[in-house]
Amino acid sequence: MIYLDYAATAPFRPGIADTLNEIAREPLGNPSSLHRAGRKARFYLEEAREQCANLLGAKVEEIVFCSGATEADNLALRGTLSHSDIKHSGLITSSVEHAAVFETAQAMEEDGQAVSWMKVNSTGEILLDSLERSLQGNPRQLVSVMAVNNEIGTRQPIEEVSTICRSHGALLHVDAVQAPHQAKELIDAGAVDLLTLSGHKMGGLPGGLLYVRQGVPLAPQILGGAQEDGRRAGTSEVLRAVSMARALQATLAEDPSELAKLRDLFEQTLKECGAAHALGPASPDKRAAHISAWLFDNLGAEPILTRLDLLDICASSGSACSSHAVEPSRVVAAMGYDQTQSMGLVRFSFGWNSTREEVRRAARVVLETVEKMIHKEKIAR
Ligand code: PLP
């Protein structure tokens, strides 16, 4: 099998499995318990928090572990704007955010929260003048922008977004799930107030991390306990936290430019196909190293993905609903493409275990598969 769907979930790193097995060999208690097993669990939890903080250039108190990045995004948006000490009101986000932010913002808007939606250009990059305009009327708002778009791989101009936010006194949340390498730089530079990471995108277990800059008010959205310093109730998940620290460490030790080489190798072959149209920015510094997004004339993504699956290649459309059917991509539509095109997004993504040989082979198979399908379509017409 050739796995090219790292942006959905990266394969679990065997080294992390070994660490977790080792830890779980002894009985682990509840990290809130006073006895020895509880103290042991608390030790691993706090050690993982310290490791994450060190890797990100953050303070330990600034790390909140959650069930996943979806929860972390929900907490960032709802938790800040609902806190009684918050001096900010109003949310600014974009039409291409992951559903964890997009649907939360929509729900908040339905509940009466003022929400401004930034538009994007044809490569998926947000239009900064719409951010400026939205902040002019009310500068003290929460801005939520993803670092890298999960469907297309477009890098958002976070440094510029941050400069604009800072000059107006706005808070900034960055979903960096697809850009863990950028997280430390943003935190170090004091460019963000809140930042989200996901464990399973880095080769760990599903699990979320929310960085919350010291002093940013955050009201818990799950109630029923004082865990995570009162910001997220529920028994803290020790193994997930350990897995998050290990996955982050392993990811940050890797050089993203190696993934860019694999992506470019893949794209070189696909460009031989007249029906293949690359999505997103052409400039390498405006795109993520690990994502390659395509439309193949007017072919729908589903039949392509089904054929590739039969040929043992795992890729995806940018988004799949819970019924596993391909839905039109909201992101592709926001970039100005029509309904048929928004059904055609095929995303290939690379990661820690991808090799040149399999990427080269997969590109050939994709090319031949698509050409056959286009040929068949022409004959049928
Ligand atoms: N944000 C982005 C940009 C993502 O790509 C994803 C997952 O696809 C999420 C948030 C949600 O992550 P999780 O699966 O950890 O809830």
Side-chain angles (χ1 to χ4, degrees):
M1 182 213 291
I2 301 182
Y3 188 81
L4 299 180
D5 201 12
Y6 280 75
T9 285
F12 197 44
R13 295 176 190 262
I16 299 182
D18 294 344
T19 303
L20 300 185
N21 277 333
E22 187 60 36
I23 290 176
R25 199 160 289 159
E26 282 176 78
L28 276 186
N30 186 315
S32 301
S33 296
L34 291 178
H35 49 63
R36 189 174 156 171
R39 288 199 304 278
K40 184 141 242 160
R42 193 156 62 251
F43 168 80
Y44 286 124
L45 177 67
E46 294 313 321
E47 184 185 56
R49 196 185 310 279
E50 199 177 326
Q51 284 166 352
C52 289
N54 289 340
L55 289 163
L56 293 171
K59 301 183 180 78
V60 283
E61 314 79 65
E62 295 176 323
I63 304 296
V64 179
F65 289 122
C66 303
S67 63
T70 300
E71 186 194 328
D73 282 344
N74 272 260
L75 178 58
L77 268 53
R78 291 185 182 277
T80 46
L81 289 177
S82 67
H83 196 285
S84 53
D85 287 349
I86 191 80
K87 311 241 169 5
H88 294 69
S89 69
L91 171 65
I92 304 174
T93 189
S94 85
S95 45
V96 298
E97 298 304 308
H98 185 271
V101 166
F102 185 82
E103 290 182 15
T104 304
Q106 274 185 326
M108 288 168 76
E109 192 172 30
E110 277 163 26
D111 288 346
Q113 176 67 254
V115 180
S116 309
W117 298 93
M118 287 180 279
K119 291 207 162 52
V120 298
N121 66 16
S122 61
T123 62
E125 199 176 314
I126 54 166
L127 301 173
L128 289 175
D129 54 348
S130 63
L131 174 60
E132 284 274 16
R133 259 199 317 277
S134 300
L135 284 170
Q136 261 149 24
N138 172 17
R140 297 182 76 84
Q141 300 192 58
L142 171 67
V143 176
S144 180
V145 181
M146 68 204 319
V148 161
N149 184 272
N150 54 304
E151 298 195 18
I152 309 295
T154 305
R155 226 170 239 302
Q156 297 298 0
I158 297 295
E159 286 80 6
E160 284 98 317
V161 169
S162 173
T163 305
I164 295 171
C165 289
R166 293 292 178 249
S167 71
H168 287 83
L171 284 175
L172 176 59
H173 165 244
V174 170
D175 177 331
V177 164
Q178 300 292 345
H181 280 94
Q182 224 180 322
K184 180 174 188 329
E185 179 187 316
L186 291 172
I187 292 170
D188 263 351
V192 290
D193 299 295
L194 303 122
L195 181 140
T196 301
L197 290 173
S198 171
H200 69 110
K201 312 285 183 182
M202 300 188 287
L205 293 173
L209 181 156
L210 183 64
Y211 160 80
V212 188
R213 191 172 57 75
Q214 207 166 31
V216 172
L218 191 80
Q221 299 303 299
I222 297 178
L223 306 177
Q227 292 91 347
E228 296 297 312
D229 214 8
R231 291 171 292 186
R232 197 266 180 189
T235 304
S236 295
E237 300 173 53
V238 178
L239 295 180
R240 280 179 205 272
V242 172
S243 155
M244 173 68 79
R246 294 299 164 108
L248 183 59
Q249 183 182 38
T251 300
L252 297 187
E254 288 158 359
D255 179 359
S257 69
E258 292 302 317
L259 291 183
K261 285 184 201 157
L262 292 181
R263 179 201 64 198
D264 293 347
L265 177 70
F266 183 80
E267 295 190 347
Q268 221 176 316
T269 302
L270 253 61
K271 281 176 188 159
E272 291 172 24
C273 173
H277 312 282
L279 288 171
S283 164
D285 53 327
K286 291 196 166 198
R287 53 187 305 218
H290 67 298
I291 296 178
S292 185
W294 296 83
L295 295 180
F296 296 101
D297 278 355
N298 280 336
L299 292 181
E302 197 158 347
I304 302 177
L305 293 171
T306 308
R307 278 182 178 72
L308 291 179
D309 185 34
L310 291 171
L311 295 163
D312 247 359
I313 293 178
C314 302
S316 69
S317 71
S319 63
C321 74
S322 52
S323 67
H324 305 293
V326 173
E327 298 228 302
S329 161
R330 161 172 56 78
V331 176
V332 175
M335 288 159 59
Y337 291 86
D338 65 25
Q339 168 83 6
T340 308
Q341 292 166 318
S342 68
M343 291 292 288
L345 168 64
V346 181
R347 179 189 69 186
F348 305 92
S349 49
F350 315 95
W352 69 270
N353 205 24
S354 302
T355 65
R356 281 184 76 77
E357 179 41 38
E358 60 178 23
V359 164
R360 194 180 284 124
R361 198 144 42 93
R364 277 279 142 222
V365 174
V366 173
L367 177 77
E368 284 163 19
T369 304
V370 167
E371 283 184 340
K372 266 188 215 152
M373 290 174 73
I374 299 265
H375 183 66
K376 247 191 182 167
E377 248 216 352
K378 278 190 184 146
I379 292 173
R381 257 195 254 137

